[in-house]
């Protein structure tokens, strides 16, 4: 349908069909007057396998191959001397950022590099162990003992998580004038062993920011194919979800449903810090407020305060205010009051009924195009999904 692509002009009209008044700022034929498509209900507990933002991993480098122990002997050259080659080095375990990977759910709790081969006869060195590459999403933080050791923010960026052990020396290495027939050789060294904590900071273009039960998950389900858990009773999303909004020119805008914040989130109340780190890398923000509550502009002030306390300047990023639940009677009374109290643009919609989503699609694309132009003017490549 045309509203899906956000390509239609805006005109303030309130169409009336079937005896019910629909709220929409577009023309009558563009307003969405049907129920949103039903999606399979998945519990929040089962959704943890779809998006994982932290993982504890033990990595061990490959063990080096042992040195060879042999002596060269052939007809008419019986005492040819030692010819045991050195062993190969063990393989490294390397974390590699890949933009095709969106979650840490595929990362296993243990990785070990490939071992090096043992040294052979005739001074043949053992082969080195192959490197083991572990693909992680772009935006992964690597921590060890609470300290950040790597920040993989670009596609293809690599970090050596564990080095492989050095290969052992063969008996040919210990040949000297004092010892013409050495029998000594060394085994390969064990690989480096580390315990790392991987944390994912969502690199979505837009972040849905709001308090619990304002309808962020319902809105993400309405504009994308993401399926965060929703229900008719109050609860909060426990895991962040990312939905993709597709446009007719094949551009894709990633929108992240950040779990609901509470007052004091910057002091790590509840799970504040784990939620706020996902907002840190969003290029622009979508503040979602509940229009049905008294004085909804207080919600916006509290949200900006929490973001500013977490990171200075975070609340000043390009944004738009989304007033949800416009289908309720009390919301229509609070909408003009909200516009008077704040200076930002307000998009009033209903995530449940699907009213006025086309205006959100249009403005979301405007924010995305502005971000792309800004990055290109700086000589940097914008994040693509």
């Amino acid at each position: 349908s045309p509203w899906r692509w956000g390509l239609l002009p805006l005109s303030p009209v309130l169409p009336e069909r079937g005896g019910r008044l629909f709220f929409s700022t577009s023309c009558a034929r563009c307003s969405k007057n049907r129920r949103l498509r039903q999606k399979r209900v998945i519990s929040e507990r089962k959704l943890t396998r779809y998006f994982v933002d932290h993982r504890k991993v033990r990595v061990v480098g490959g063990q080096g191959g042992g040195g060879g122990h042999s002596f060269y002997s052939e007809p008419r050259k019986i005492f040819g001397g030692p010819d045991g080659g050195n062993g190969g080095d063990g393989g490294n375990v390397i974390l590699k950022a890949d933009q095709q990977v969106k979650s840490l759910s595929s990362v296993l709790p243990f990785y070990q590099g490939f071992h090096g081969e043992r040294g052979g006869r005739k001074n043949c060195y053992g082969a080195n162990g192959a490197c083991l590459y572990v693909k992680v999403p772009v935006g992964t933080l690597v921590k060890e003992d609470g300290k950040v050791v790597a920040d993989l923010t670009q596609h293809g960026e690599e970090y050596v998580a564990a080095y492989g052990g050095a290969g052992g020396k063969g008996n040919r290495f210990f040949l000297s004038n004092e010892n013409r027939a050495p029998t000594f050789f060394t085994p390969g060294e064990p690989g480096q062993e580390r315990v790392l904590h991987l944390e994912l900071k969502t690199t979505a273009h837009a972040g849905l920011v709001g308090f619990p039960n304002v309808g962020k998950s319902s809105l993400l389900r309405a504009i994308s194919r993401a399926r965060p858990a929703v229900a008719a009773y109050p609860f909060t999303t426990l895991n962040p979800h990312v939905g993709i909004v597709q446009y007719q020119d094949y551009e894709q805008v990633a929108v992240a449903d950040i779990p609901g914040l509470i007052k004091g989130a910057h002091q790590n109340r509840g799970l504040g810090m784990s939620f706020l780190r996902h907002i840190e890398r969003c290029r622009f923000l979508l503040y979602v407020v509940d229009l049905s509550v008294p004085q909804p502009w207080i919600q916006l002030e509290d949200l900006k305060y929490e973001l500013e306390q977490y990171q200075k300047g975070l609340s000043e990023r390009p944004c738009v205010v989304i007033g949800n639940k416009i289908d309720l009677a009390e919301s229509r009374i609070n909408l003009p009051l909200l516009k008077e109290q704040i200076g930002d643009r307000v998009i009033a919609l209903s995530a449940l009924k699907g009213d006025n989503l086309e205006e959100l699609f249009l403005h979301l694309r405007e924010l995305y195009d502005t971000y792309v132009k800004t990055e290109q003017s700086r000589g940097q490549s914008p994040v693509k999904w």
Side-chain angles (χ1 to χ4, degrees), residues 63-333:
Q63 184 172 357
H69 174 259
S70 63
F71 289 88
Y72 183 72
S73 178
E74 65 177 12
R76 290 174 296 187
K77 196 173 183 181
I78 302 176
F79 302 103
D83 66 347
N86 299 336
D89 297 334
N92 303 329
V93 179
I94 300 176
L95 303 179
K96 185 175 182 178
D98 191 342
Q99 63 182 5
Q100 299 298 326
V101 181
K102 306 302 180 184
S103 171
L104 294 174
S105 58
S106 60
V107 178
L108 302 178
F110 175 74
Y111 288 98
Q112 185 171 20
F114 296 97
H115 301 318
E117 294 185 2
R118 185 180 182 86
R121 300 181 59 185
K122 299 182 180 180
N123 296 322
C124 290
Y125 282 32
N128 295 332
C131 294
L132 177 62
Y133 287 89
V134 181
K135 293 183 179 181
V136 297
V138 176
T140 301
L141 277 178
V142 184
K143 293 184 178 181
E144 184 179 18
D145 297 331
K147 297 181 180 179
V148 178
V149 295
D151 189 1
L152 307 178
T153 58
Q154 299 294 330
H155 173 69
E157 191 173 356
E158 298 179 358
Y159 172 71
V160 181
Y163 288 94
K169 303 297 183 181
N171 62 340
R172 177 69 175 80
F173 178 81
F174 299 98
L175 177 64
S176 63
N177 292 332
E178 290 77 15
N179 187 2
R180 305 303 300 175
T183 59
F184 182 72
F185 63 96
T186 60
E189 296 182 358
Q192 183 184 16
E193 182 175 356
R194 303 171 68 185
V195 177
L196 303 176
H197 294 267
L198 306 183
E199 293 184 2
L200 176 60
K201 290 186 175 181
T202 307
T203 56
H205 299 118
L208 295 174
V209 185
F211 287 108
N213 303 312
V214 297
K216 300 187 302 299
S217 298
S218 299
L219 180 58
L220 187 65
R221 290 170 67 98
I223 64 177
S224 70
R225 293 185 178 181
R227 295 177 298 178
V230 296
Y233 54 86
F235 76 100
T236 185
T237 303
L238 300 179
N239 301 282
H241 304 274
V242 180
I244 305 299
V245 180
Q246 299 181 353
Y247 290 87
Q248 198 171 13
D249 58 351
Y250 304 105
E251 286 288 351
Q252 298 184 116
V253 180
V255 181
D257 174 20
I258 310 299
L261 301 176
I262 62 173
K263 291 185 178 181
H266 67 279
Q267 300 174 351
N268 207 21
R269 291 183 180 178
L271 295 176
M273 288 300 184
S274 61
F275 295 165
L276 286 168
R277 72 167 180 265
H278 293 284
I279 308 175
E280 185 177 347
R281 292 188 176 173
C282 292
R283 273 57 182 183
F284 40 89
L285 305 178
L286 307 178
Y287 294 103
V288 184
V289 297
D290 187 357
L291 290 176
S292 62
V293 301
Q295 298 180 341
W297 53 88
I298 298 181
Q299 293 186 11
L300 182 61
E301 296 175 357
D302 293 339
L303 289 173
K304 290 187 176 182
Y305 174 77
E306 294 296 333
L307 297 183
E308 194 66 23
Q309 292 298 315
Y310 173 73
Q311 183 181 18
K312 188 174 181 59
L314 187 59
S315 63
E316 300 176 359
R317 294 188 180 181
C319 66
V320 63
V321 180
I322 300 175
N324 194 17
K325 304 180 183 181
I326 193 59
D327 53 311
L328 302 179
E330 52 269 24
S331 299
R332 296 177 179 265
I333 301 176

